Amino acid sequence: MSDLRDLYQDMILDHGRNPRNFRETADANHVCDGHNPLCGDRVKLFVKVRDGIVEDISFQGSGCAISTASASLMTSAVKGKRVEEVRELFDDFHELITGDPEQQPDSSKLGKLAVFSGVCEFPTRVKCATLSWHTLKSAIDKDDKPASTE
Ligand code: ZN
């Protein structure tokens, strides 16, 4: 189990240092800002949805390694997915992070996102890991209000 934890930690550090999809998408049709006041994390998401599919997604912003890694892994995971699938993934991810560690959801659907399973043991970091997801949900719900974890 500790090997797995090290692997997870390495992946979070890697994505935190070298975030994927860290850019602006010029033709995004959903743009949303998110803020986690608890830690000072900020994220701006650029989502391009066409025919119910997330064709492109990218982000910018600044925050701690966990929030950056989460946005990086999230954008990689949802690109090319249908909006309904993205909503399901949001629910699964949220359950993984905030749920009972003894009753984790089926992580096979979550793929690499399962690296955040250890975060539920650190309540103060939960909002860092979920910030980009709340922001994505606001973006696809076409809610123009900035997302906040508060
Ligand atoms: Zn943070």
Side-chain angles (χ1 to χ4, degrees):
M1 196 61 196
S2 68
D3 286 353
L4 189 68
R5 187 150 297 180
D6 286 351
L7 180 80
Y8 282 2
Q9 219 151 43
D10 285 352
M11 203 189 280
I12 289 175
L13 285 174
D14 173 40
H15 278 262
R17 285 194 197 116
N18 308 296
R20 322 298 196 261
N21 307 306
F22 191 79
R23 56 183 161 78
E24 223 178 286
T25 298
D27 55 352
N29 48 13
H30 300 268
V31 178
C32 192
D33 288 300
H35 181 213
N36 171 19
L38 206 67
C39 178
D41 308 316
R42 288 188 181 276
V43 65
K44 189 182 185 89
L45 272 186
F46 302 88
V47 192
K48 185 181 169 191
V49 177
R50 208 167 65 180
D51 299 330
I53 291 169
V54 177
E55 272 199 350
D56 198 8
I57 177 166
S58 62
F59 77 102
Q60 296 216 292
S62 61
C64 65
I66 290 182
S67 70
T68 304
S70 179
S72 172
L73 280 154
M74 180 194 76
T75 50
S76 307
V78 304
K79 199 188 280 187
K81 285 208 161 52
R82 302 193 61 80
V83 170
E84 303 92 86
E85 289 179 280
V86 172
R87 285 182 206 280
E88 281 173 26
L89 212 51
F90 172 91
D91 291 337
D92 286 346
F93 185 76
H94 204 258
E95 200 183 323
L96 175 82
I97 299 279
T98 60
D100 183 345
E102 302 295 316
Q103 291 175 21
Q104 298 266 306
D106 177 10
S107 60
S108 60
K109 274 186 290 178
L110 287 163
K112 282 182 183 172
L113 298 171
V115 299
F116 291 98
S117 61
V119 171
C120 60
E121 289 170 35
F122 305 97
T124 54
R125 310 319 295 268
V126 164
K127 288 177 176 178
C128 301
T130 54
L131 172 65
S132 56
W133 286 90
H134 283 292
T135 310
L136 175 62
K137 200 151 187 272
S138 296
I140 58 180
D141 287 344
K142 274 207 169 218
D143 185 349
D144 290 332
K145 289 193 295 273
S148 174
T149 53
E150 288 304 294

